[in-house]
């Protein structure tokens, strides 16, 4: 088990408070880039911008599908 649990990406209230640009930057550069957890690493070295945009779109689907 992780010592710090990951964010609930299905939480519509939490996710709607964050813009797509914020999510993109956080995924690309890490949590510290938007004053969030330094434990969230940046993935820009592993994922292309297109991949990150697709991931942001997927996160939006996750939060909107929660009943």
């Amino acid at each position: 088990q992780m010592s710090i649990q990951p964010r609930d990406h299905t939480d519509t209230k939490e996710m709607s408070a964050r813009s797509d640009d914020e999510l993109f930057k956080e995924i690309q550069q890490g949590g510290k880039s938007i004053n969030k957890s330094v434990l969230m690493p940046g993935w820009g070295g592993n994922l292309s911008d297109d991949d990150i945009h697709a991931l942001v779109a997927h996160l939006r689907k996750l939060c909107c599908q929660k009943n």
Side-chain angles (χ1 to χ4, degrees), residues 19-30:
S19 71
D20 287 357
D21 289 340
E22 266 187 310
L23 292 173
F24 181 93
K25 185 175 181 180
E26 183 177 16
I27 294 166
Q28 183 185 55
Q29 300 174 22

Side-chain angles (χ1 to χ4, degrees), residues 4-65:
I4 297 177
Q5 295 301 305
R7 181 173 310 279
D8 178 2
H9 293 105
T10 65
D11 182 340
T12 303
K13 182 179 177 183
E14 173 67 29
M15 293 299 291
S16 65
R18 304 172 74 196
S19 71
D20 287 357
D21 289 340
E22 266 187 310
L23 292 173
F24 181 93
K25 185 175 181 180
E26 183 177 16
I27 294 166
Q28 183 185 55
Q29 300 174 22
K32 187 176 180 180
S33 69
I34 64 163
N35 297 317
K36 296 290 184 182
S37 176
V38 297
L39 298 176
M40 166 65 180
W43 291 92
N46 299 84
L47 299 173
S48 70
D49 286 0
D50 287 343
D51 290 338
I52 297 172
H53 283 297
L55 183 53
V56 170
H58 179 70
L59 291 172
R60 292 295 179 207
K61 285 182 185 177
L62 286 175
C63 75
C64 294
Q65 291 177 358

